[in-house]
């Protein structure tokens, strides 16, 4: 049973990437459900699409993403605050940096 799951995960990621490229919200949600733990970077893609679409799911998803980001990435307090503000303003880029910082990196 574990072998079929491992083999299926690359296909799930490919589906997730295609749905993200097409900006298909329901397809992206469906592909995300195939992961037992969606990678943080991919979860941010879903959060960003919720923001783009003005989805009522945005705030809860953004808070859930922030919780994971804090635990999985161990950012500094200052960086975490910037990311949180960027999410609140719906200006977060794919790499977790505030939009106003991406050009400087």
């Amino acid at each position: 049973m574990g072998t079929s799951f491992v083999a299926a995960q690359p296909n799930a990621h490919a589906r997730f990437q295609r749905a993200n490229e097409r900006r298909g919200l329901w397809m992206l949600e469906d592909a995300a459900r195939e992961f037992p733990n969606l990678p943080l970077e991919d979860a941010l893609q879903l959060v960003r699409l919720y923001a783009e679409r003005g989805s009522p799911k945005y705030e809860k998803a953004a808070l859930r993403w922030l919780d994971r980001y804090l635990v999985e990435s161990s950012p500094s307090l200052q960086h975490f605050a910037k990311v949180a503000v960027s999410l609140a303003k719906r200006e977060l880029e794919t790499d977790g940096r505030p939009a106003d910082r991406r050009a400087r990196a």
Side-chain angles (χ1 to χ4, degrees), residues 65-67 69-71 75-85:
W65 186 88
L66 278 172
D67 184 48
Y69 177 65
L70 185 59
V71 171
S76 68
L77 178 59
Q78 185 177 21
H79 189 260
F80 182 79
K82 287 178 183 178
V83 170
V85 166

Side-chain angles (χ1 to χ4, degrees), residues 3-85:
T3 307
S4 63
F5 170 75
V6 172
Q9 199 163 356
N11 291 333
H13 196 260
R15 282 189 56 226
F16 185 90
Q17 293 301 327
R18 278 193 306 274
N20 188 44
E21 289 168 8
R22 294 177 182 154
R23 309 310 288 161
L25 183 54
W26 70 269
M27 292 186 300
L28 198 62
E29 288 176 325
D30 189 50
R33 286 185 196 100
E34 293 185 34
F35 290 89
N37 188 19
L38 187 65
L40 191 61
E41 301 81 19
D42 292 335
L44 182 57
Q45 294 297 324
L46 183 56
V47 170
R48 289 182 70 227
L49 191 54
Y50 283 145
E52 274 180 31
R53 299 291 169 84
S55 172
K57 296 179 180 180
Y58 174 75
E59 186 164 344
K60 187 175 181 179
L63 289 169
R64 214 171 25 247
W65 186 88
L66 278 172
D67 184 48
R68 285 188 58 200
Y69 177 65
L70 185 59
V71 171
E72 295 174 27
S73 299
S74 301
S76 68
L77 178 59
Q78 185 177 21
H79 189 260
F80 182 79
K82 287 178 183 178
V83 170
V85 166

Side-chain angles (χ1 to χ4, degrees), residues 80-98:
F80 182 79
K82 287 178 183 178
V83 170
V85 166
S86 294
L87 274 173
K89 293 180 179 180
R90 299 179 184 206
E91 297 174 348
L92 195 66
E93 291 301 314
T94 58
D95 58 5
R97 289 181 294 190

